[in-house]
Amino acid sequence: MRGVFIDANESLADIFERQRQSGDPEMRVHLDPDIKPEDWPAILDGAEIGVVDHTALPTDVAKQCKGLKHVVFLGTGARSYMNPEELAELGITVHLIKGYGDTAVAEAAIALMWASARGLAQMDREMRAGNWLRDDGMQLTGKTLGLIGFGGIAAEVARIASGSGMKVIAWNRSPKSHPGVEFVSLDQLLATSQIVSLHLLLNDETRGFLSRERIAQMRQGVIFVNTARAAIVDEPAMIDALRSGHIRHAGLDVFTTEPLPAGHVLTTIPNVTLSAHSAFRTPEASENLIHAAWEHCRRVAKE
């Protein structure tokens, strides 16, 4: 069985080669992170395994990938790039990698909370322009943090936030319990949280989940952080809430269109801190990610 890492950047390629072991399946690294979806068939060249970082695989393109049986997606958000059910009908199994960057993403979410609470990005911009912007920030110790969705990342956010003196409450679609976290109804979470952090997976049930109505239920002056997926949120409603001040500040790592286009409305709103879908990007998380990808490849090659 052969495989190809179809869209590797230099950093991930280095880790991938370093973790290669004797007896591993034949895996070729295609060193080009900027390929197009239509490039899949030629790059695979009949290989049964495709390891992919961020390149979309439309179903009509997958039909042209003769021999493809397994797609190892480097992360959990494959649905943003392909339709796993349609691929399954073609005999192609999509494998996800969970948990590899829980701490990395949680730390980024916490960083966005603090940056949002203190207006750090806005102060930085103003000072570089020669202005001395000073404003009252929000002190987070003693504040209530509401986590929407509670998986591995949210558990790490809860750990860090609790250690920082915040009260942590959470809502999850299925019943859960966790030390130091109070699980409440979604209505209660939205109404009482001074900071809301989103941690849902994107699927058909969660697309548009944080609707205009639910944003309106949020407490006045809330800080909103999204390190999950942009499509979970009604973006126009969020923008309106930012402009009105209903949302005091948003810390966003994910966007409906990525890369975020120049001049996008979110780049013009002062009470938003932006990061380039990089919450998961640490050397430690990348090592975990590639290790798990190799384990998938080794397993399916033995089937």
Side-chain angles (χ1 to χ4, degrees):
M1 185 173 284
R2 296 186 300 118
V4 182
F5 187 167
I6 73 156
D7 58 355
N9 59 41
E10 290 188 6
S11 174
L12 291 180
D14 286 345
I15 298 171
F16 196 84
E17 293 293 359
R18 180 158 32 84
Q19 293 195 11
R20 191 186 295 272
Q21 298 176 9
S22 175
D24 278 341
E26 179 186 341
M27 297 292 300
R28 179 169 58 84
V29 175
H30 182 76
L31 188 57
D32 183 355
D34 298 318
I35 69 166
K36 300 293 187 290
E38 56 267 27
D39 296 332
W40 271 83
I43 294 171
L44 284 172
D45 190 28
E48 295 91 343
I49 305 171
V51 177
V52 59
D53 181 29
H54 60 272
T55 304
L57 178 58
T59 303
D60 60 345
V61 173
K63 291 177 181 178
Q64 305 169 40
C65 297
K66 306 304 181 185
L68 181 62
K69 297 298 181 185
H70 300 277
V71 172
V72 178
F73 181 79
L74 298 182
T76 58
R79 291 182 183 277
S80 298
Y81 300 87
M82 61 196 72
N83 186 316
E85 288 77 23
E86 291 180 359
L87 294 185
E89 292 178 0
L90 301 176
I92 301 169
T93 302
V94 177
H95 306 270
L96 306 180
I97 298 174
K98 300 179 180 181
Y100 72 95
D102 286 358
T103 298
V105 177
E107 288 183 356
I110 292 288
L112 285 169
M113 289 176 205
W114 252 266
S116 298
R118 304 309 297 262
L120 296 180
Q122 187 176 2
M123 276 195 284
D124 179 82
R125 290 193 299 269
E126 292 292 334
M127 290 178 68
R128 291 174 189 273
N131 301 318
W132 189 248
L133 176 68
R134 302 175 77 186
D135 200 359
D136 286 346
M138 178 190 288
Q139 184 169 299
L140 294 186
T141 298
K143 298 298 191 296
T144 298
L145 166 63
L147 304 175
I148 299 179
F150 201 87
I153 294 170
E156 280 290 272
V157 171
R159 175 183 64 81
I160 300 168
S162 295
S164 301
M166 300 170 72
K167 176 185 177 181
V168 182
I169 63 176
W171 172 86
N172 196 62
R173 290 193 297 161
S174 57
K176 279 199 173 181
S177 62
H178 191 82
V181 178
E182 180 186 357
F183 284 81
V184 299
S185 69
L186 182 60
D187 287 348
Q188 182 179 342
L189 184 147
L190 294 173
T192 60
S193 299
Q194 287 136 318
I195 309 97
V196 171
S197 189
L198 189 58
H199 299 284
L200 292 172
L201 289 175
L202 175 63
N203 55 38
D204 291 341
E205 294 179 0
T206 61
R207 190 176 299 274
F209 179 87
L210 205 58
S211 62
R212 183 173 293 274
E213 291 74 22
R214 284 173 172 158
I215 290 173
Q217 287 181 259
M218 288 182 177
R219 182 171 175 156
Q220 176 71 26
V222 68
I223 287 173
F224 175 62
V225 173
N226 189 1
T227 54
R229 284 291 185 272
I232 300 171
V233 182
D234 181 333
E235 185 176 271
M238 177 185 69
I239 290 169
D240 287 346
L242 283 162
R243 284 176 165 159
S244 72
H246 184 73
I247 296 178
R248 171 193 174 107
H249 201 108
L252 306 176
D253 186 58
V254 289
F255 308 93
T256 303
T257 303
E258 297 183 1
L260 192 66
H264 189 281
V265 62
L266 286 171
T267 69
T268 70
I269 301 174
N271 54 331
V272 180
T273 298
L274 310 171
S275 65
H277 201 156
S278 58
F280 64 97
R281 295 181 66 89
T282 66
E284 295 86 350
S286 294
E287 290 282 347
N288 294 340
L289 179 68
I290 297 302
H291 173 78
W294 265 117
E295 289 299 297
H296 275 307
C297 295
R298 290 164 185 145
R299 177 177 51 79
V300 301
K302 292 178 181 178
E303 292 178 351

